[in-house]
Amino acid sequence: MKRIFSRFIYFFIILVVCNCLVFAPNTYASIENQKLLLESWDLLNTSYLDDTFNNQNWYLVKQDLMKYSLNTREETYKVIDEMLITLDEPFTRLLRPEQYHNLKIETSGEFSGIGLRLQINPQTEKLEVVSPIKNSPAEFAGIKEHDLILEIDGISTTNLNLDQAAEKMRGLTGTRINLTIFSSQNKKVYQNQIIRKHISLSPLISNIDKTSSDSFVGYIRLNKFSSNAVEEMKTTIKTLEEEGAKSYILDLRDNPGGLFESGINIARLWMNKGTIVYTINRQGIQNSFSSSGKPLTNSPLVLLVNKGTASSSEILAGALQDSRRAILFGETTFGKGLIQSLFELSNNCGLAVTVAKYETPNHKDIHKLGIQPDKIILQETLAYDEIGTIKDIQYQEAIKFLREK
């Protein structure tokens, strides 16, 4: 009887050990996925602006989440997405590793690639070159404005969106990329092999309008509030001052924002002494950011804005409008009065969490309302190369106003 019992124990142990060997990897993955889920929940618990979490018991949400069996990362991401949906607030969002990586590149203003500005042409829906970046591998390879990128490393661009195409363009410095290009000049398809290099991407474009001999207007288009935007703006203003600019147009149309700090520091380059923005956190504590009163120029300034002007762009626009430093032309802005902090999670993904709201210097809450321009000027959608031309009604009205002023 003892022998039978011993054999039973022996086979039971073997069975347990075998099961552990078979299921241990899945168990480990499930534990890691649970950790990622709880990490996300905890960040929201401690940092999210609305401490009612859209009027729900956040701890009960946690209990419900723990019931999920999370065998893969994608399953975990979907559960985190479901958790965020309950907040009913689109700016708090999970960034999967690729999205998080792309966002860090955008805000840093530096990347490794070939240096092309691209767009999906609204008429043809083709991937089109807006322009090669100056002194980039793409420029040296002879790629021109309006060329079409048909294939990237043998993959058709027909079904790629702009982010997917940009991601395929980027890569390690020194690696090669093969492009199939339709030339806009000679109307022929050709192959081009280019070596990627490190590129510093300027977030702004500038020029000076000298069509009136006694009233030069400096034009600055700011596309993104990246980490290098402040220094680029400083350099540009000083250059335009040296070239004789008597007034300025700062174009914030379709600028989706970026780094909060960049918005504050760029406001300081233009503003005299005064408040730039007020922020309010989940405890209701109000903080403020101000200008010291040492702008780089006091010349007249017009801001161009539209419904794509959002976030840090609205902080800048609100500060310059309320302080009467600038006149706003264009259309009502997007209306994003919330501030996000970006947290890095395990597995190289990120969580953007709304941690505060803001008000303009005159204590206007612009969330979902936007900023009303001083002069409303409607404008049909322009192609990239039509901005700042005779077809750009908002730009032309700004030029006219500044010259009369």
Side-chain angles (χ1 to χ4, degrees):
M1 187 71 179
K2 287 182 179 179
R3 185 178 295 175
I4 294 172
F5 181 74
S6 297
R7 287 180 177 176
F8 173 77
I9 293 296
Y10 173 77
F11 284 115
F12 177 76
I13 292 171
I14 292 296
L15 182 63
V16 170
V17 171
C18 287
N19 280 335
C20 287
L21 288 172
V22 172
F23 294 109
N26 286 340
T27 303
Y28 175 77
S30 180
I31 291 171
E32 290 300 302
N33 291 333
Q34 288 283 1
K35 283 171 61 178
L36 178 60
L37 178 58
L38 292 176
E39 187 181 3
S40 304
W41 180 92
D42 190 55
L43 279 172
L44 291 162
N45 186 50
T46 56
S47 307
Y48 187 59
L49 174 62
D50 177 14
D51 59 6
T52 73
F53 301 95
N54 195 26
N55 298 309
Q56 59 182 333
N57 187 318
W58 198 236
Y59 287 91
L60 286 180
V61 171
K62 180 180 180 180
Q63 289 180 17
D64 290 338
L65 293 174
M66 297 305 294
K67 297 175 184 177
Y68 286 93
S69 177
L70 305 174
N71 297 315
T72 67
R73 281 295 190 192
E74 189 53 40
E75 286 178 0
T76 309
Y77 295 152
K78 288 179 180 178
V79 171
I80 295 173
D81 286 337
E82 289 176 17
M83 173 180 70
L84 299 179
I85 287 171
T86 68
L87 299 174
D88 194 26
E89 188 261 288
F91 305 112
T92 295
R93 64 198 189 280
L94 176 70
L95 301 169
R96 287 159 171 75
E98 182 179 324
Q99 296 170 312
Y100 182 52
H101 175 68
N102 289 341
L103 182 61
K104 288 195 292 184
I105 289 172
E106 288 176 17
T107 54
S108 70
E110 296 183 347
F111 66 98
S112 178
I114 63 171
L116 282 178
R117 292 188 177 93
L118 301 169
Q119 69 173 355
I120 303 295
N121 186 294
Q123 280 78 42
T124 64
E125 297 185 350
K126 301 286 188 182
L127 184 63
E128 182 180 76
V129 175
V130 173
S131 65
I133 295 170
K134 190 174 181 179
N135 296 325
S136 68
E139 183 183 50
F140 293 135
I143 299 177
K144 306 294 184 183
E145 294 179 11
H146 306 301
D147 284 356
L148 301 181
I149 308 299
L150 305 180
E151 291 183 356
I152 304 172
D153 285 331
I155 298 172
S156 172
T157 60
T158 303
N159 296 317
L160 296 181
N161 60 36
L162 205 53
D163 287 337
Q164 291 168 332
E167 178 63 22
K168 289 186 179 299
M169 291 284 189
R170 290 192 284 264
L172 295 175
T173 297
T175 58
R176 295 178 184 275
I177 182 172
N178 294 289
L179 300 180
T180 303
I181 301 167
F182 176 78
S183 172
S184 59
Q185 291 185 342
N186 57 31
K187 310 300 180 185
K188 292 182 179 180
V189 175
Y190 70 98
Q191 305 290 322
N192 205 329
Q193 189 178 81
I194 308 172
I195 297 176
R196 295 181 177 95
K197 291 185 178 179
H198 180 267
I199 293 171
S200 180
L201 182 62
S202 174
L204 54 85
I205 297 168
S206 66
N207 57 56
I208 191 163
D209 189 307
K210 297 182 178 180
T211 51
S212 176
S213 59
D214 61 344
S215 182
F216 294 174
V217 179
Y219 171 79
I220 304 172
R221 178 173 175 82
L222 182 60
N223 296 307
K224 190 82 175 179
F225 288 83
S226 55
S227 59
N228 59 341
V230 180
E231 288 304 316
E232 291 271 350
M233 184 67 74
K234 279 184 186 178
T235 301
T236 299
I237 294 172
K238 289 177 181 178
T239 300
L240 292 174
E241 287 282 292
E242 291 170 359
E243 291 180 4
K246 301 298 182 186
S247 57
Y248 289 89
I249 297 171
L250 179 55
D251 192 346
L252 297 177
R253 291 175 295 179
D254 296 315
N255 183 324
L259 298 177
F260 176 78
E261 294 83 0
S262 291
I264 300 299
N265 289 325
I266 287 176
R268 288 172 176 148
L269 301 180
W270 294 97
M271 276 182 64
N272 291 303
K273 189 175 182 179
T275 300
I276 296 170
V277 70
Y278 293 101
T279 63
I280 301 96
N281 64 13
R282 71 188 288 176
Q283 287 81 30
I285 298 172
Q286 180 174 282
N287 196 6
S288 66
F289 296 82
S290 302
S291 174
S292 63
K294 296 179 180 179
L296 293 183
T297 176
N298 281 306
S299 298
L301 175 64
V302 171
L303 259 62
L304 299 182
V305 297
N306 65 5
K307 60 185 177 183
T309 304
S311 194
S312 295
S313 291
E314 291 175 294
I315 289 175
L316 177 58
L320 297 180
Q321 184 185 53
D322 281 6
S323 65
R324 298 187 178 181
R325 175 63 184 91
I327 302 293
L328 270 61
F329 280 18
E331 302 160 52
T332 302
T333 63
F334 181 82
K336 181 176 179 287
L338 302 175
I339 299 170
Q340 286 74 43
S341 285
L342 188 60
F343 298 92
E344 184 164 334
L345 302 173
S346 52
N347 197 43
N348 298 316
C349 55
L351 190 66
V353 180
T354 296
V355 296
K357 62 181 180 179
Y358 70 83
E359 295 175 351
T360 71
N362 289 347
H363 290 285
K364 289 184 288 188
D365 182 352
I366 62 102
H367 191 57
K368 296 185 178 181
L369 300 173
I371 297 173
Q372 187 87 355
D374 299 289
K375 184 174 182 179
I376 294 177
I377 305 168
L378 301 181
Q379 172 77 63
E380 292 183 1
T381 303
L382 296 170
Y384 193 90
D385 55 2
E386 292 176 336
I387 296 170
T389 67
I390 193 68
K391 293 184 179 181
D392 190 342
I393 300 169
Q394 294 165 340
Y395 171 82
Q396 294 299 332
E397 285 293 315
I399 289 284
K400 180 182 176 184
F401 171 82
L402 288 169
R403 285 187 176 148
E404 290 176 351
K405 186 176 178 62

